[in-house]
C-alpha cells in the first residue's frame, strides 16, 4: 500500500522559514514526478511546486518563486519543500503528491496524496 507522510508543518512568524518533508513508502517514485499543493478552506488545492524526476525540471507557482525550494532524495524516497520568507497568505494545509497523470498544475492529475500538514504564518 502506497503511503505519503508529510511532516514539518507548524506555526511561524512572517519572514520565517519551515521545511516540509514527505516520506513515501509502498513503492519507489524515482522515475515519477513529485510535488506539493496547498489548500485553504473553501478553495481548491493549489499547485505549489513539482519536480519531474530526480534531477529533472522543476516548476513553481508564481506566488512562491524565489522563496520556496523543492528537492528530493531518491535514496530516501522523500521530497522536501524549503519555505523561506513566509507570508501570512502562505497559511494553508500543505499536501505532498506523487505520480503525475496529466497537467501538473491540476490536483486532479496526481494519483497519490499525503494526509496534509498545517502551515500557519502569523503577521
Amino acid at each position: 500500500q502506497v503511503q505519503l507522510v508529510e511532516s514539518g508543518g507548524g506555526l511561524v512568524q512572517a519572514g520565517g522559514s519551515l521545511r516540509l518533508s514527505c516520506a513515501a513508502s509502498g513503492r519507489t517514485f524515482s522515475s515519477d514526478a513529485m510535488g506539493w499543493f496547498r489548500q485553504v478552506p473553501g478553495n481548491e488545492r493549489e499547485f505549489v511546486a513539482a519536480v519531474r524526476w530526480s534531477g529533472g525540471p522543476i516548476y513553481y507557482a508564481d506566488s512562491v518563486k524565489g522563496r520556496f525550494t523543492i528537492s528530493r532524495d531518491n535514496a530516501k524516497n522523500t521530497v522536501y519543500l524549503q519555505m523561506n520568507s513566509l507570508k501570512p497568505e502562505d497559511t494553508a494545509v500543505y499536501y505532498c503528491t506523487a505520480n503525475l497523470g496529466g497537467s501538473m498544475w491540476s490536483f486532479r492529475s496526481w494519483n497519490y496524496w499525503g494526509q496534509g500538514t498545517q502551515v500557519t504564518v502569523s503577521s
Side-chain angles (χ1 to χ4, degrees):
Q1 183 181 355
V2 175
Q3 279 192 313
L4 303 177
V5 179
E6 301 100 335
S7 60
L11 173 64
V12 64
Q13 287 190 331
S17 298
L18 283 174
R19 188 193 194 207
L20 305 183
S21 299
C22 171
S25 61
R27 60 165 283 183
T28 60
F29 291 100
S30 57
S31 300
D32 288 308
M34 298 188 78
W36 293 91
F37 279 69
R38 64 187 182 188
Q39 188 171 25
V40 297
N43 288 7
E44 285 193 345
R45 285 186 192 184
E46 173 191 33
F47 174 84
V48 175
V51 51
R52 285 279 187 181
W53 55 83
S54 184
I58 291 176
Y59 305 86
Y60 296 100
D62 287 343
S63 57
V64 307
K65 228 174 258 186
R67 301 187 297 121
F68 290 12
T69 302
I70 188 172
S71 62
R72 62 192 293 174
D73 184 339
N74 280 349
K76 296 181 179 180
N77 217 19
T78 298
V79 64
Y80 304 96
L81 186 68
Q82 177 67 44
M83 304 185 295
N84 298 330
S85 303
L86 282 160
K87 305 175 181 180
E89 51 264 43
D90 294 318
T91 295
V93 177
Y94 283 72
Y95 294 91
C96 170
T97 187
N99 192 232
L100 177 63
S103 167
M104 73 166 57
W105 312 104
S106 171
F107 70 91
R108 296 178 180 87
S109 299
W110 296 82
N111 294 311
Y112 298 107
W113 291 92
Q115 82 288 350
T117 185
Q118 177 70 46
V119 171
T120 303
V121 184
S122 63
S123 57

